[in-house]
Amino acid sequence: MAISSLAVSALVWFRRVTSIVLRRGPKHNTAMAPFNLILCPNTPPLFLLPPPSSNQVRGWILSSSGPLKPASFSSRRTRHTRWGATADVKTEPLVGGEEDHNKVSVDPGVERVVADYEWTEEWYPLYLTKNVPEDAPLGLTVFHKQLVLFKDGNGHFRCYEDRCPHRLAKLSEGQLIDGRLECLYHGWQFEGEGKCVKIPQLPTDAKIPRSACVQTYEVRDSQGVIWVWMSPKTPPDVSKIPWFENFAKPGFQDISTTHELPYDHSILLENLMDPAHIPISHDRTDWTAKREDAQALCFEVTEQTNRGFAGWWGKKNEGSMPNFLRFEAPCVLQNSREIVDKNGEINYFTGLFLCRPTGQGKSMLIVRFGGTKRSPLAKLFPQWYFHQNASKVFEQDMGFLSSQNEVLLKEKVPTKELYLNLKSSDTWVAEYRKWMDKVGHGMPYHFGHSTISLPKDPAVVEHAPAGLVAGLSASSPAKGGIGTMHAPNLANRYFRHVIHCKGCRTVVKAFQAWKNALSAVAVALVALAILVSGRQWKALLLASASICSIGVYACSTAIAMNTTNFIRTHRRL
């Protein structure tokens, strides 16, 4: 409890000291506005500011299909004809419209529209490039497909089906030898386009059969993210790889984190599309998130296509919609905003969420918050501090999102029969589920607004050790106890984030090493203080031991901040 209080206090202090002010140009005749760095991954823009006047706010319509064009909120924004992304003749409306706050009116029905969609003919975000291990294979999944990603001897990224053709052992449990991927069951080795180049059990003069190869998947490294094309038959469409214009701008800096989460990717996307929950769920986690600020929001959908939707949103009582949101198939969500500083320079800010379905009831998220302007004070804080705060935010949501996942699987009905969506908060959620109606038939499973398709394949269950070994495995967050190959525990922050983050993993190991060293020194100093006879020497040695003890406590606190889950005060026993 003391550690959590310390973290929250430090975060609030950090908010205050890192707040900077951007003054609008004199021609806009507007007041100064605070500019606050957001550490909350669920907050759509990286920076929350009071809404500028409409002639200042511009958003970027981000697309992977071509060059990006700026769209001004006041003069360049256009309305697009709504298409019916529903599967019924009649659709359930959003509750709480301005026309009547006490009853629900039925919107005019539209004919069901179904779009061509094939989930394998898409690029999925696998991993942050910087976090891919240099010396070991990495097991990953997309829906129910198990993959193994590694870097070969030439520094090229390779992605295979995570299954040895010999006896179906996982290749991700293997090792890299001279840039080749070796199955640790019988030592078969693979390289390049999945070709088997070594079978130790074959006679020296025998040829390796052609059938002894593995299925390969195309991967690309784009803007610091590894993307995989999931179709083994259709050639990869490179034009579909998302390109994020703001991340390519000069001076753009981002903080990127990876999180594995115990609920479906569609529920994760819903949560990220829901700015209304931030003041309640993340009250005081961030300086700008306060439950008393919960209020009605306003939305405007400006684009709807077979590949997603886009539009503007903002707080209703502020009378403007400065935030631009875009969802694009299969799992890319971004919030963008532009701010004009006192010199007339435009600063670009983006919150980018790359969500990968990793199986039934599981997902992996790459979060990237960035901007072309950043407070110099932010550089004084290490990245692991931002990462642990991001983990805290996901833990605040995790309980009710997991329960939501359970209800959807139990009820087995479309969301329109379960959700009570509000026009003043749930517009993006409704749009997303209606998009699912349109393309869900091309996915392994989906939960739409009016349609539902349950998983046909049983969920993949990773088996962990039992009994005493299981207890020891769960006792130490740093290495999973005995060994490192045990099934990840998604209820544990270490397995959800730290093992996927090279920086945080290194930091935890360093703090552990310092903690052990300082503990040993403190014990040695106390022993010397007991042995020496001079009072001055005793005092000096005991004082030194006290300083080492403080260092031990600081290291323990830092380790706990990186590996201990957030628990709400009222939930503690």
Side-chain angles (χ1 to χ4, degrees), residues 132-137 151 174-177:
V132 177
E134 297 282 346
D135 57 353
K151 186 179 290 188
Q175 61 184 345
L176 295 180
I177 296 181

Side-chain angles (χ1 to χ4, degrees), residues 357-371:
T358 59
Q360 298 173 40
K362 297 184 292 183
S363 56
M364 180 171 279
L365 173 66
I366 296 175
V367 184
R368 307 192 73 182
F369 278 143

Side-chain angles (χ1 to χ4, degrees), residues 23-52:
R23 187 186 301 274
R24 270 69 169 184
K27 64 179 180 179
H28 299 299
N29 192 25
T30 56
M32 299 173 70
F35 177 97
N36 301 314
L37 174 62
I38 297 300
L39 299 183
C40 168
N42 291 348
T43 305
L46 174 62
F47 296 87
L48 291 184
L49 297 92

